Amino acid sequence: MSRQSPENLLLYLTPEDEETIREVYAALAERGFPVQHQRPHITVTFAPALDVKVVDLARELLPPLLPATFRRVGTVVFGTKSKQTVAWLLETTDELETAARQISAANPEGRGPRWTPHLTLGLRLPRALMPDYMRALDDISTFRHKEFSAPQAAWWRPKTQQLEALG
């Protein structure tokens, strides 16, 4: 039985920054790691089905704060089981941080007023790959990978394949 992907409120990168992340995906794949297919993005919040009130709040709060600049400040591993996710930890403006936390807090399926902005670089990777994956990512990471711009907020509904720009 396959797991249905949740609906998401996302921040999408500029085409240039998306390409930069795709180049990192490709460089990792060339080293023998699993190919990454996801479109580079920063998740604000998600749920099996997002409440329209949460989407409306995002429509109100996010567009005035875009484009937003994000700075890479570290590398994180999410997950505690056999599959884990590697991401670059990001920082942005206080205003966007506050807005994202408000949106997350309004999501009854969310994690309360928490937000960990990040760019996923390795999704659902076998735990045994983590040390080598992290070393490879450190080797690949350059000055080009320090700052990213997100000009667009969107509501992604994978069940119906609908992407709606917010604002």
Side-chain angles (χ1 to χ4, degrees):
M1 183 165 121
S2 69
R3 189 181 76 174
Q4 176 64 44
S5 294
E7 292 185 12
N8 294 270
L9 290 173
L10 305 170
L11 300 174
Y12 283 115
L13 305 176
T14 63
E16 298 80 17
D17 285 343
E18 272 195 32
E19 183 57 30
T20 294
I21 298 301
R22 290 184 195 284
E23 288 170 5
V24 172
Y25 293 166
L28 289 163
E30 285 172 11
R31 293 177 182 220
F33 295 107
V35 175
Q36 299 299 303
H37 299 285
Q38 66 273 15
R39 180 178 176 189
H41 64 273
I42 300 162
T43 302
V44 175
T45 195
F46 60 92
L50 280 166
D51 186 310
V52 73
K53 291 176 188 173
V54 178
V55 177
D56 287 344
L57 183 60
R59 275 192 191 100
E60 174 190 335
L61 296 178
L62 294 176
L65 301 174
L66 301 177
T69 299
F70 289 85
R71 287 165 309 289
R72 178 171 58 97
V73 295
T75 304
V76 294
V77 176
F78 295 108
T80 58
K81 297 187 179 177
S82 64
K83 298 286 183 172
Q84 297 183 329
T85 295
V86 174
W88 279 334
L89 185 63
L90 305 171
E91 286 183 348
T92 190
T93 64
D94 290 342
E95 294 81 10
L96 183 54
E97 178 93 17
T98 298
R101 288 176 184 270
Q102 287 178 297
I103 295 163
S104 183
N107 180 1
E109 300 280 336
R111 299 174 48 237
R114 290 188 276 296
W115 186 47
T116 306
H118 64 277
L119 268 170
T120 298
L121 297 164
L123 190 60
R124 292 187 282 279
L125 299 168
R127 184 184 189 109
L129 287 182
M130 285 302 110
D132 292 337
Y133 202 88
M134 299 291 280
R135 272 191 294 281
L137 187 55
D138 283 347
D139 289 346
I140 292 164
S141 300
T142 68
F143 183 75
R144 247 180 102 205
H145 307 120
K146 297 276 188 203
E147 194 169 278
F148 304 94
S149 181
Q152 180 187 29
W155 177 19
W156 170 238
R157 290 172 275 182
K159 186 175 181 180
T160 58
Q161 295 292 295
Q162 290 178 287
L163 179 68
E164 179 184 330
L166 305 181

